[in-house]
Amino acid sequence: MTTTNKRGFAQEVWDFFCSLKLSIFLLIGLALVSIIGTVIQQGPQREYLATLSETKIRLYSALGFFDMYHSWWFILLLYLLTLNLICCSIKRLPRVWKVVSEPVLVMDDGFEKSLANVKDLKLKGSKEELKSRMEAFLRAEFAVPVITEKDGEYHLFAQKSPWCRLGVYVVHLSIIVIFVGALIGSFFGYKAYTNIPEGGAISQVQTQSGKMIPLGFDVRCEKFSVSFYDTGAPKEFRSVLTVLENGQPVPGFQNRPIIVNDPLTYKGITFYQSSYGQSDEGALYHLTVRDRKGGAPVKLNARQGERVALPGGAFLSVMEATMDVRPFMRGFDGPGAQVEFTPAGGNPQPFVILSDKYESFNAQHGGDLLITFDGMDQKFYTGLQVAHDPGVWVVWFGCFLMVLGICMAFFMSHKRVWARVTDSGVTLGGSASKNPAGFEICFDDLVEKIGKA
Amino acid sequence: MSSSMLFNVTMVLYMVSTCIFFAFLASRNKSVGLAGTYAALFGFLVQGAAIGLRWKESYDQGHGHAPLSNLFESVVFFSWTIVLIFLFIDFKYKYRAIGFFVMPFALFGMAWAQLGLDTGIEPLVPALQSNWLMYHVITCFLGYAAFAVACGISIMYLIRESMEKGGADVQAGGLLSMFPSIRALDDLNYKAIMIGFPLLSLGIITGAAWANYAWGTYWSWDPKETWSLIVWFVYAAFLHARITRGWVGRRAAILSVIGFAATIFCYLGVNLFLSGLHSYGK
Ligand code: HEM
């Protein structure tokens, strides 16, 4: 009793995982729960969290809604889908394989009744003659037939593209292959980010989780540039990169331009143009200082924060600067700098200076000195997305299988034709796994041609 | 002649086609139905020319790119693909009545694009400067269009079925008599989805390939990606539901309508209500 009960239970579990109802439930269920993560911000920002109540935040984080697609229950659903898929395929594949590998060669009466297309043809000639005629006919018009002799009758069987019945299983396999590829990527790959100032080099990158990963080589940013359309919309972000091994440029990886949609790959690690910014450390500011009482103007250069001695014992440091003040100061344009001016023996005074176009504006400050800002040698840093994903080719292979399998399952049909040859004539039967209306036309066509042959 | 004028002509032709299809349902005259199809075909050709002309105009402005880059261009392309899939099914199966349920989608798209959207040709921002844009957009929209046709067919199914249940005598006449039988409608629904599903799959795959090429991640659960997966799940459920008994007919038709609603949300709702990578011209 106990053993049958146990078998009964195992059987029930097996049936549960083989059921198509479960698949439909899982597919619809995944569709529904996926919505949650598109409505609730994933990896939420502080501003977003501020709009939620305390209880909501506690509830959402307990349910994993803030990183929903990696929460245990979402992953569990994906594993259930995979298990369901595997069980279903294991259960059904042998049956389909049998249809493909052991076709029904003989059309007996019972089988004939199950076929949608059957035609009795009265033809003159002996059994032998008719057999050869039918064989030649099927070979020419349909496919090479297999001939079986049974109970004094000849049975011919011919089929086209039997393997397309496996299309569904190719699709299902492809989904598993894609999952495997994704798992490989998540265990052995990483996504990271790095900023490189122009002229600077990096040898490690930081992953999303904050871990530093050594690259095993260096990447130097030679130059970064951004260009705009007349409309003001960005046209191109371009970094020029050089890969260095032991401090030496690698041939073929020297001064390689990369732009959005055209990355650089070296040793399986790919660098993508992602963002940019103004690098402060490198910028060199140009100033002109003139004594109001007369005298030749003096040109000065300063780095950010550096205290520069001015004629007459005063000091100046540039805090920050821009090549275009329009976004910050209404009615002004051109370069501008926020400076801190310390008169000889006085306290520091912060103010803004502009180009020589705004003489009277600049004249408001500086004591005896008239200071103008001439501009700067601006340096950028380039922001690169860095990815290493050894599973990606497995994923592409899975995608290829999926397209192939869908085409086999949807657009191809396993067509079969049987001919039973007796002394009184030929009975032709046919069936197709897809598109019965289309096959009927094809079958009628065959029947008509036999009449003429 | 500008592309904008041709788009207006297209819109008028789609309206004419819709009206003729209505006249066909009312008159039950076969040649009226054929006229509706020809009006749709003519509109389709004019629209094709207009899209080509807009492409050329973008080159004249000095930053040539395929007209698939902003909301206006995508709505226009969507309505063009809907007519393409409709004409394919119309010429293959010759059920003219479907036109009355599908052409309004194309008409609505054109009217919205021409009257409500910004028609300017803008240069491509760096993120869109890739050939993948074309492969991705074309496959996705052909898939969406097939689902639009399936949705029109499913609505016909639901109308016809409920009228038959209500005891209407279908053979005696009325608008219903030109509808295909409910079995044919069920079958056509399946056929349209069989066109759409592979195309949507290809659309998702080309999108993933592009994302991987441009950013190094083929899947990042961005709302648009997630919604395309939701749509894909719904239609996968539809395909499996047909294999188990009891899910053909009415339930399949409802699932197809839900699928198209999800498709539209994926296309427009995500841009309007959610935020992510795929915002048009933001
Ligand atoms: C829970 C997981 C799944 C299970 C258990 C499952 C099971 C099945 C079964 C039993 C069939 C019928 C095979 C036959 O006719 O002998 C089938 C067909 C099919 N499956 Fe799945 N499937 C699953 C998920 C998927 C997914 C996610 C896709 C997405 C592409 C898919 C695509 C297909 C296709 C295209 C067919 C052919 C449908 C047709 O011919 O109309 N399956 N599946």
Side-chain angles (χ1 to χ4, degrees), chain A residues 20 38 69 182 191 229 234-235 261 263 272 389 396 410 434, chain B residues 123-124 127 129 190 210 212-214 216-217 221 226-227 274:
Chain A
L20 260 172
T38 68
Y69 304 105
K191 306 266 179 293
Y229 293 108
K235 181 176 183 182
N261 276 309
Y272 302 86
D389 187 348
W396 296 148
F410 284 173
K434 283 262 153 184
Chain B
L124 285 184
Q129 294 165 8
Y190 179 57
W210 184 15
N212 187 62
Y213 182 64
T217 21
W221 295 106
T226 308
W227 269 96
L274 309 171

PDB file of all heavy atoms in Angstrom, chain A residues 20 38 69 182 191 229 234-235 261 263 272 389 396 410 434, chain B residues 123-124 127 129 190 210 212-214 216-217 221 226-227 274:
ATOM      1  N   LEU A  20       0.165  21.519 -18.934  1.00  0.00           N
ATOM      2  CA  LEU A  20       0.158  22.754 -19.711  1.00  0.00           C
ATOM      3  C   LEU A  20      -0.604  23.850 -18.992  1.00  0.00           C
ATOM      4  O   LEU A  20      -0.385  25.026 -19.240  1.00  0.00           O
ATOM      5  CB  LEU A  20      -0.487  22.494 -21.073  1.00  0.00           C
ATOM      6  CG  LEU A  20       0.498  22.298 -22.216  1.00  0.00           C
ATOM      7  CD1 LEU A  20      -0.214  21.864 -23.463  1.00  0.00           C
ATOM      8  CD2 LEU A  20       1.264  23.584 -22.482  1.00  0.00           C
ATOM      9  N   THR A  38       7.840  47.585 -13.201  1.00  0.00           N
ATOM     10  CA  THR A  38       7.863  48.728 -14.116  1.00  0.00           C
ATOM     11  C   THR A  38       7.148  49.929 -13.507  1.00  0.00           C
ATOM     12  O   THR A  38       7.261  51.039 -13.995  1.00  0.00           O
ATOM     13  CB  THR A  38       7.197  48.396 -15.474  1.00  0.00           C
ATOM     14  OG1 THR A  38       5.797  48.211 -15.278  1.00  0.00           O
ATOM     15  CG2 THR A  38       7.795  47.154 -16.084  1.00  0.00           C
ATOM     16  N   TYR A  69      13.205  41.987 -10.020  1.00  0.00           N
ATOM     17  CA  TYR A  69      13.568  40.951 -10.990  1.00  0.00           C
ATOM     18  C   TYR A  69      14.703  40.069 -10.482  1.00  0.00           C
ATOM     19  O   TYR A  69      15.069  39.105 -11.129  1.00  0.00           O
ATOM     20  CB  TYR A  69      13.911  41.599 -12.336  1.00  0.00           C
ATOM     21  CG  TYR A  69      12.767  42.448 -12.831  1.00  0.00           C
ATOM     22  CD1 TYR A  69      12.810  43.825 -12.769  1.00  0.00           C
ATOM     23  CD2 TYR A  69      11.600  41.844 -13.306  1.00  0.00           C
ATOM     24  CE1 TYR A  69      11.739  44.600 -13.186  1.00  0.00           C
ATOM     25  CE2 TYR A  69      10.528  42.599 -13.724  1.00  0.00           C
ATOM     26  CZ  TYR A  69      10.607  43.980 -13.659  1.00  0.00           C
ATOM     27  OH  TYR A  69       9.540  44.736 -14.063  1.00  0.00           O
ATOM     28  N   ALA A 182      22.485  33.354 -19.396  1.00  0.00           N
ATOM     29  CA  ALA A 182      22.305  34.437 -18.428  1.00  0.00           C
ATOM     30  C   ALA A 182      22.969  34.073 -17.104  1.00  0.00           C
ATOM     31  O   ALA A 182      23.587  34.916 -16.450  1.00  0.00           O
ATOM     32  CB  ALA A 182      20.821  34.713 -18.226  1.00  0.00           C
ATOM     33  N   LYS A 191      29.500  43.908 -14.573  1.00  0.00           N
ATOM     34  CA  LYS A 191      29.242  45.204 -15.206  1.00  0.00           C
ATOM     35  C   LYS A 191      29.875  46.232 -14.305  1.00  0.00           C
ATOM     36  O   LYS A 191      29.701  46.184 -13.097  1.00  0.00           O
ATOM     37  CB  LYS A 191      27.753  45.506 -15.251  1.00  0.00           C
ATOM     38  CG  LYS A 191      26.928  44.435 -15.895  1.00  0.00           C
ATOM     39  CD  LYS A 191      26.713  44.712 -17.355  1.00  0.00           C
ATOM     40  CE  LYS A 191      25.912  43.616 -18.004  1.00  0.00           C
ATOM     41  NZ  LYS A 191      26.630  42.334 -18.058  1.00  0.00           N
ATOM     42  N   TYR A 229      24.742  69.493 -32.756  1.00  0.00           N
ATOM     43  CA  TYR A 229      24.064  69.969 -33.971  1.00  0.00           C
ATOM     44  C   TYR A 229      23.743  71.453 -33.779  1.00  0.00           C
ATOM     45  O   TYR A 229      23.801  71.982 -32.658  1.00  0.00           O
ATOM     46  CB  TYR A 229      22.743  69.222 -34.170  1.00  0.00           C
ATOM     47  CG  TYR A 229      22.883  67.758 -34.488  1.00  0.00           C
ATOM     48  CD1 TYR A 229      22.554  66.789 -33.558  1.00  0.00           C
ATOM     49  CD2 TYR A 229      23.290  67.346 -35.758  1.00  0.00           C
ATOM     50  CE1 TYR A 229      22.645  65.445 -33.854  1.00  0.00           C
ATOM     51  CE2 TYR A 229      23.381  65.992 -36.066  1.00  0.00           C
ATOM     52  CZ  TYR A 229      23.054  65.049 -35.113  1.00  0.00           C
ATOM     53  OH  TYR A 229      23.135  63.730 -35.413  1.00  0.00           O
ATOM     54  N   PRO A 234      22.973  67.043 -28.794  1.00  0.00           N
ATOM     55  CA  PRO A 234      24.300  66.449 -28.939  1.00  0.00           C
ATOM     56  C   PRO A 234      24.397  65.598 -30.199  1.00  0.00           C
ATOM     57  O   PRO A 234      23.433  64.942 -30.591  1.00  0.00           O
ATOM     58  CB  PRO A 234      24.452  65.585 -27.686  1.00  0.00           C
ATOM     59  CG  PRO A 234      23.069  65.361 -27.195  1.00  0.00           C
ATOM     60  CD  PRO A 234      22.258  66.535 -27.615  1.00  0.00           C
ATOM     61  N   LYS A 235      25.551  65.661 -30.859  1.00  0.00           N
ATOM     62  CA  LYS A 235      25.744  64.924 -32.097  1.00  0.00           C
ATOM     63  C   LYS A 235      26.658  63.722 -31.881  1.00  0.00           C
ATOM     64  O   LYS A 235      26.395  62.637 -32.377  1.00  0.00           O
ATOM     65  CB  LYS A 235      26.353  65.854 -33.136  1.00  0.00           C
ATOM     66  CG  LYS A 235      26.582  65.237 -34.484  1.00  0.00           C
ATOM     67  CD  LYS A 235      27.089  66.310 -35.438  1.00  0.00           C
ATOM     68  CE  LYS A 235      27.253  65.749 -36.832  1.00  0.00           C
ATOM     69  NZ  LYS A 235      27.790  66.787 -37.717  1.00  0.00           N
ATOM     70  N   ASN A 261      27.514  53.501 -29.423  1.00  0.00           N
ATOM     71  CA  ASN A 261      27.225  52.534 -30.479  1.00  0.00           C
ATOM     72  C   ASN A 261      28.460  52.016 -31.203  1.00  0.00           C
ATOM     73  O   ASN A 261      28.339  51.376 -32.234  1.00  0.00           O
ATOM     74  CB  ASN A 261      26.239  53.090 -31.523  1.00  0.00           C
ATOM     75  CG  ASN A 261      24.806  52.929 -31.070  1.00  0.00           C
ATOM     76  OD1 ASN A 261      24.406  51.838 -30.690  1.00  0.00           O
ATOM     77  ND2 ASN A 261      24.053  54.002 -31.080  1.00  0.00           N
ATOM     78  N   PRO A 263      31.830  50.476 -29.436  1.00  0.00           N
ATOM     79  CA  PRO A 263      32.706  50.298 -28.280  1.00  0.00           C
ATOM     80  C   PRO A 263      34.067  49.695 -28.649  1.00  0.00           C
ATOM     81  O   PRO A 263      34.336  49.405 -29.804  1.00  0.00           O
ATOM     82  CB  PRO A 263      31.919  49.313 -27.422  1.00  0.00           C
ATOM     83  CG  PRO A 263      31.143  48.493 -28.399  1.00  0.00           C
ATOM     84  CD  PRO A 263      30.849  49.387 -29.571  1.00  0.00           C
ATOM     85  N   TYR A 272      32.370  50.947 -23.156  1.00  0.00           N
ATOM     86  CA  TYR A 272      31.314  51.638 -23.885  1.00  0.00           C
ATOM     87  C   TYR A 272      31.293  53.103 -23.484  1.00  0.00           C
ATOM     88  O   TYR A 272      31.337  53.429 -22.290  1.00  0.00           O
ATOM     89  CB  TYR A 272      29.954  51.034 -23.527  1.00  0.00           C
ATOM     90  CG  TYR A 272      29.857  49.579 -23.814  1.00  0.00           C
ATOM     91  CD1 TYR A 272      30.292  48.640 -22.886  1.00  0.00           C
ATOM     92  CD2 TYR A 272      29.324  49.119 -25.008  1.00  0.00           C
ATOM     93  CE1 TYR A 272      30.200  47.282 -23.145  1.00  0.00           C
ATOM     94  CE2 TYR A 272      29.230  47.767 -25.279  1.00  0.00           C
ATOM     95  CZ  TYR A 272      29.683  46.857 -24.341  1.00  0.00           C
ATOM     96  OH  TYR A 272      29.599  45.523 -24.598  1.00  0.00           O
ATOM     97  N   ASP A 389      31.198  39.636 -20.157  1.00  0.00           N
ATOM     98  CA  ASP A 389      30.107  38.668 -20.065  1.00  0.00           C
ATOM     99  C   ASP A 389      30.417  37.432 -20.909  1.00  0.00           C
ATOM    100  O   ASP A 389      30.168  37.414 -22.115  1.00  0.00           O
ATOM    101  CB  ASP A 389      28.799  39.310 -20.537  1.00  0.00           C
ATOM    102  CG  ASP A 389      27.618  38.398 -20.299  1.00  0.00           C
ATOM    103  OD1 ASP A 389      27.847  37.207 -19.995  1.00  0.00           O
ATOM    104  OD2 ASP A 389      26.479  38.865 -20.420  1.00  0.00           O
ATOM    105  N   TRP A 396      23.211  34.374 -27.442  1.00  0.00           N
ATOM    106  CA  TRP A 396      22.939  34.565 -28.889  1.00  0.00           C
ATOM    107  C   TRP A 396      22.645  33.235 -29.562  1.00  0.00           C
ATOM    108  O   TRP A 396      21.796  33.148 -30.447  1.00  0.00           O
ATOM    109  CB  TRP A 396      24.101  35.267 -29.597  1.00  0.00           C
ATOM    110  CG  TRP A 396      24.361  36.649 -29.131  1.00  0.00           C
ATOM    111  CD1 TRP A 396      25.567  37.271 -29.083  1.00  0.00           C
ATOM    112  CD2 TRP A 396      23.417  37.613 -28.632  1.00  0.00           C
ATOM    113  NE1 TRP A 396      25.430  38.540 -28.578  1.00  0.00           N
ATOM    114  CE2 TRP A 396      24.127  38.777 -28.294  1.00  0.00           C
ATOM    115  CE3 TRP A 396      22.039  37.605 -28.415  1.00  0.00           C
ATOM    116  CZ2 TRP A 396      23.516  39.920 -27.771  1.00  0.00           C
ATOM    117  CZ3 TRP A 396      21.431  38.734 -27.884  1.00  0.00           C
ATOM    118  CH2 TRP A 396      22.161  39.862 -27.580  1.00  0.00           C
ATOM    119  N   PHE A 410       6.115  27.049 -36.884  1.00  0.00           N
ATOM    120  CA  PHE A 410       4.986  27.812 -37.435  1.00  0.00           C
ATOM    121  C   PHE A 410       4.860  27.724 -38.948  1.00  0.00           C
ATOM    122  O   PHE A 410       3.766  27.722 -39.484  1.00  0.00           O
ATOM    123  CB  PHE A 410       5.126  29.297 -37.070  1.00  0.00           C
ATOM    124  CG  PHE A 410       4.768  29.609 -35.659  1.00  0.00           C
ATOM    125  CD1 PHE A 410       4.974  30.873 -35.148  1.00  0.00           C
ATOM    126  CD2 PHE A 410       4.205  28.642 -34.831  1.00  0.00           C
ATOM    127  CE1 PHE A 410       4.649  31.178 -33.839  1.00  0.00           C
ATOM    128  CE2 PHE A 410       3.880  28.930 -33.532  1.00  0.00           C
ATOM    129  CZ  PHE A 410       4.105  30.204 -33.028  1.00  0.00           C
ATOM    130  N   LYS A 434       0.408  20.829 -40.140  1.00  0.00           N
ATOM    131  CA  LYS A 434      -0.010  22.244 -40.065  1.00  0.00           C
ATOM    132  C   LYS A 434      -0.808  22.593 -41.302  1.00  0.00           C
ATOM    133  O   LYS A 434      -0.678  21.952 -42.341  1.00  0.00           O
ATOM    134  CB  LYS A 434       1.227  23.149 -40.029  1.00  0.00           C
ATOM    135  CG  LYS A 434       1.924  23.195 -38.703  1.00  0.00           C
ATOM    136  CD  LYS A 434       1.510  24.399 -37.919  1.00  0.00           C
ATOM    137  CE  LYS A 434       1.673  24.101 -36.441  1.00  0.00           C
ATOM    138  NZ  LYS A 434       1.233  25.149 -35.581  1.00  0.00           N
TER     139      LYS A 434
ATOM    140  N   PRO B 123      17.711  65.701 -36.099  1.00  0.00           N
ATOM    141  CA  PRO B 123      18.889  64.842 -36.241  1.00  0.00           C
ATOM    142  C   PRO B 123      18.915  63.783 -35.141  1.00  0.00           C
ATOM    143  O   PRO B 123      18.284  63.950 -34.107  1.00  0.00           O
ATOM    144  CB  PRO B 123      20.051  65.820 -36.098  1.00  0.00           C
ATOM    145  CG  PRO B 123      19.509  66.998 -35.382  1.00  0.00           C
ATOM    146  CD  PRO B 123      18.065  67.082 -35.732  1.00  0.00           C
ATOM    147  N   LEU B 124      19.651  62.706 -35.406  1.00  0.00           N
ATOM    148  CA  LEU B 124      19.691  61.601 -34.448  1.00  0.00           C
ATOM    149  C   LEU B 124      20.643  61.908 -33.303  1.00  0.00           C
ATOM    150  O   LEU B 124      21.780  62.304 -33.528  1.00  0.00           O
ATOM    151  CB  LEU B 124      20.188  60.334 -35.144  1.00  0.00           C
ATOM    152  CG  LEU B 124      19.224  59.622 -36.067  1.00  0.00           C
ATOM    153  CD1 LEU B 124      19.866  58.345 -36.582  1.00  0.00           C
ATOM    154  CD2 LEU B 124      17.934  59.300 -35.352  1.00  0.00           C
ATOM    155  N   ALA B 127      22.741  58.089 -29.142  1.00  0.00           N
ATOM    156  CA  ALA B 127      22.275  56.753 -28.771  1.00  0.00           C
ATOM    157  C   ALA B 127      21.560  56.050 -29.924  1.00  0.00           C
ATOM    158  O   ALA B 127      21.510  54.826 -29.983  1.00  0.00           O
ATOM    159  CB  ALA B 127      21.354  56.846 -27.561  1.00  0.00           C
ATOM    160  N   GLN B 129      22.277  56.444 -33.221  1.00  0.00           N
ATOM    161  CA  GLN B 129      23.047  56.360 -34.465  1.00  0.00           C
ATOM    162  C   GLN B 129      23.591  54.957 -34.668  1.00  0.00           C
ATOM    163  O   GLN B 129      24.760  54.691 -34.423  1.00  0.00           O
ATOM    164  CB  GLN B 129      24.202  57.369 -34.441  1.00  0.00           C
ATOM    165  CG  GLN B 129      23.728  58.818 -34.445  1.00  0.00           C
ATOM    166  CD  GLN B 129      24.831  59.784 -34.047  1.00  0.00           C
ATOM    167  OE1 GLN B 129      25.979  59.383 -33.917  1.00  0.00           O
ATOM    168  NE2 GLN B 129      24.485  61.040 -33.844  1.00  0.00           N
ATOM    169  N   TYR B 190      -5.499  33.157 -34.908  1.00  0.00           N
ATOM    170  CA  TYR B 190      -4.306  32.344 -34.677  1.00  0.00           C
ATOM    171  C   TYR B 190      -3.253  32.617 -35.740  1.00  0.00           C
ATOM    172  O   TYR B 190      -2.068  32.783 -35.441  1.00  0.00           O
ATOM    173  CB  TYR B 190      -4.729  30.880 -34.665  1.00  0.00           C
ATOM    174  CG  TYR B 190      -3.611  29.893 -34.451  1.00  0.00           C
ATOM    175  CD1 TYR B 190      -2.805  29.961 -33.313  1.00  0.00           C
ATOM    176  CD2 TYR B 190      -3.370  28.884 -35.370  1.00  0.00           C
ATOM    177  CE1 TYR B 190      -1.792  29.055 -33.111  1.00  0.00           C
ATOM    178  CE2 TYR B 190      -2.359  27.968 -35.176  1.00  0.00           C
ATOM    179  CZ  TYR B 190      -1.572  28.055 -34.050  1.00  0.00           C
ATOM    180  OH  TYR B 190      -0.557  27.158 -33.857  1.00  0.00           O
ATOM    181  N   TRP B 210      21.215  44.983 -29.806  1.00  0.00           N
ATOM    182  CA  TRP B 210      21.616  46.391 -29.883  1.00  0.00           C
ATOM    183  C   TRP B 210      22.068  46.899 -28.513  1.00  0.00           C
ATOM    184  O   TRP B 210      23.118  47.528 -28.375  1.00  0.00           O
ATOM    185  CB  TRP B 210      20.452  47.221 -30.429  1.00  0.00           C
ATOM    186  CG  TRP B 210      20.783  48.660 -30.630  1.00  0.00           C
ATOM    187  CD1 TRP B 210      22.018  49.237 -30.654  1.00  0.00           C
ATOM    188  CD2 TRP B 210      19.832  49.704 -30.841  1.00  0.00           C
ATOM    189  NE1 TRP B 210      21.892  50.582 -30.877  1.00  0.00           N
ATOM    190  CE2 TRP B 210      20.572  50.902 -30.983  1.00  0.00           C
ATOM    191  CE3 TRP B 210      18.442  49.764 -30.932  1.00  0.00           C
ATOM    192  CZ2 TRP B 210      19.961  52.123 -31.214  1.00  0.00           C
ATOM    193  CZ3 TRP B 210      17.836  50.974 -31.157  1.00  0.00           C
ATOM    194  CH2 TRP B 210      18.586  52.142 -31.298  1.00  0.00           C
ATOM    195  N   ASN B 212      23.224  45.251 -26.108  1.00  0.00           N
ATOM    196  CA  ASN B 212      24.502  44.658 -25.754  1.00  0.00           C
ATOM    197  C   ASN B 212      25.638  45.335 -26.505  1.00  0.00           C
ATOM    198  O   ASN B 212      26.702  45.591 -25.958  1.00  0.00           O
ATOM    199  CB  ASN B 212      24.479  43.161 -26.088  1.00  0.00           C
ATOM    200  CG  ASN B 212      25.720  42.477 -25.591  1.00  0.00           C
ATOM    201  OD1 ASN B 212      25.984  42.450 -24.402  1.00  0.00           O
ATOM    202  ND2 ASN B 212      26.520  41.963 -26.511  1.00  0.00           N
ATOM    203  N   TYR B 213      25.365  45.658 -27.767  1.00  0.00           N
ATOM    204  CA  TYR B 213      26.398  46.291 -28.570  1.00  0.00           C
ATOM    205  C   TYR B 213      26.679  47.714 -28.096  1.00  0.00           C
ATOM    206  O   TYR B 213      27.814  48.160 -28.056  1.00  0.00           O
ATOM    207  CB  TYR B 213      25.965  46.278 -30.034  1.00  0.00           C
ATOM    208  CG  TYR B 213      26.996  46.864 -30.948  1.00  0.00           C
ATOM    209  CD1 TYR B 213      28.239  46.255 -31.080  1.00  0.00           C
ATOM    210  CD2 TYR B 213      26.752  48.030 -31.647  1.00  0.00           C
ATOM    211  CE1 TYR B 213      29.204  46.797 -31.886  1.00  0.00           C
ATOM    212  CE2 TYR B 213      27.717  48.578 -32.457  1.00  0.00           C
ATOM    213  CZ  TYR B 213      28.947  47.958 -32.578  1.00  0.00           C
ATOM    214  OH  TYR B 213      29.905  48.500 -33.377  1.00  0.00           O
ATOM    215  N   ALA B 214      25.609  48.413 -27.686  1.00  0.00           N
ATOM    216  CA  ALA B 214      25.791  49.815 -27.337  1.00  0.00           C
ATOM    217  C   ALA B 214      26.139  50.033 -25.863  1.00  0.00           C
ATOM    218  O   ALA B 214      26.826  50.986 -25.530  1.00  0.00           O
ATOM    219  CB  ALA B 214      24.549  50.610 -27.693  1.00  0.00           C
ATOM    220  N   GLY B 216      26.584  47.069 -23.473  1.00  0.00           N
ATOM    221  CA  GLY B 216      27.176  45.933 -22.786  1.00  0.00           C
ATOM    222  C   GLY B 216      26.226  45.168 -21.895  1.00  0.00           C
ATOM    223  O   GLY B 216      26.651  44.363 -21.084  1.00  0.00           O
ATOM    224  N   THR B 217      24.913  45.416 -22.018  1.00  0.00           N
ATOM    225  CA  THR B 217      23.946  44.569 -21.312  1.00  0.00           C
ATOM    226  C   THR B 217      22.823  44.259 -22.271  1.00  0.00           C
ATOM    227  O   THR B 217      22.222  45.172 -22.820  1.00  0.00           O
ATOM    228  CB  THR B 217      23.271  45.276 -20.121  1.00  0.00           C
ATOM    229  OG1 THR B 217      23.397  46.671 -20.314  1.00  0.00           O
ATOM    230  CG2 THR B 217      23.817  44.855 -18.817  1.00  0.00           C
ATOM    231  N   TRP B 221      16.076  45.004 -17.652  1.00  0.00           N
ATOM    232  CA  TRP B 221      14.763  45.172 -17.012  1.00  0.00           C
ATOM    233  C   TRP B 221      14.314  46.624 -17.015  1.00  0.00           C
ATOM    234  O   TRP B 221      13.684  47.099 -16.086  1.00  0.00           O
ATOM    235  CB  TRP B 221      14.761  44.608 -15.579  1.00  0.00           C
ATOM    236  CG  TRP B 221      14.951  43.137 -15.516  1.00  0.00           C
ATOM    237  CD1 TRP B 221      16.076  42.483 -15.125  1.00  0.00           C
ATOM    238  CD2 TRP B 221      14.006  42.114 -15.846  1.00  0.00           C
ATOM    239  NE1 TRP B 221      15.901  41.121 -15.200  1.00  0.00           N
ATOM    240  CE2 TRP B 221      14.636  40.876 -15.635  1.00  0.00           C
ATOM    241  CE3 TRP B 221      12.682  42.114 -16.314  1.00  0.00           C
ATOM    242  CZ2 TRP B 221      14.003  39.638 -15.870  1.00  0.00           C
ATOM    243  CZ3 TRP B 221      12.058  40.898 -16.535  1.00  0.00           C
ATOM    244  CH2 TRP B 221      12.717  39.688 -16.319  1.00  0.00           C
ATOM    245  N   THR B 226      10.814  45.249 -20.228  1.00  0.00           N
ATOM    246  CA  THR B 226       9.953  44.397 -19.419  1.00  0.00           C
ATOM    247  C   THR B 226       8.558  44.286 -20.043  1.00  0.00           C
ATOM    248  O   THR B 226       7.999  43.194 -20.118  1.00  0.00           O
ATOM    249  CB  THR B 226       9.840  44.957 -17.993  1.00  0.00           C
ATOM    250  OG1 THR B 226      11.150  45.180 -17.497  1.00  0.00           O
ATOM    251  CG2 THR B 226       9.121  43.994 -17.090  1.00  0.00           C
ATOM    252  N   TRP B 227       8.035  45.407 -20.522  1.00  0.00           N
ATOM    253  CA  TRP B 227       6.710  45.338 -21.134  1.00  0.00           C
ATOM    254  C   TRP B 227       6.716  44.519 -22.415  1.00  0.00           C
ATOM    255  O   TRP B 227       5.743  43.822 -22.705  1.00  0.00           O
ATOM    256  CB  TRP B 227       6.145  46.746 -21.364  1.00  0.00           C
ATOM    257  CG  TRP B 227       5.356  47.162 -20.174  1.00  0.00           C
ATOM    258  CD1 TRP B 227       5.793  47.918 -19.130  1.00  0.00           C
ATOM    259  CD2 TRP B 227       4.002  46.786 -19.857  1.00  0.00           C
ATOM    260  NE1 TRP B 227       4.806  48.035 -18.190  1.00  0.00           N
ATOM    261  CE2 TRP B 227       3.691  47.361 -18.610  1.00  0.00           C
ATOM    262  CE3 TRP B 227       3.032  46.023 -20.501  1.00  0.00           C
ATOM    263  CZ2 TRP B 227       2.453  47.199 -17.995  1.00  0.00           C
ATOM    264  CZ3 TRP B 227       1.796  45.865 -19.891  1.00  0.00           C
ATOM    265  CH2 TRP B 227       1.513  46.444 -18.661  1.00  0.00           C
ATOM    266  N   LEU B 274       5.690  55.798 -17.685  1.00  0.00           N
ATOM    267  CA  LEU B 274       6.852  55.293 -16.958  1.00  0.00           C
ATOM    268  C   LEU B 274       8.102  55.941 -17.532  1.00  0.00           C
ATOM    269  O   LEU B 274       8.055  56.601 -18.555  1.00  0.00           O
ATOM    270  CB  LEU B 274       6.927  53.764 -17.103  1.00  0.00           C
ATOM    271  CG  LEU B 274       5.639  53.014 -16.780  1.00  0.00           C
ATOM    272  CD1 LEU B 274       5.765  51.551 -17.163  1.00  0.00           C
ATOM    273  CD2 LEU B 274       5.311  53.135 -15.313  1.00  0.00           C
TER     274      LEU B 274
END
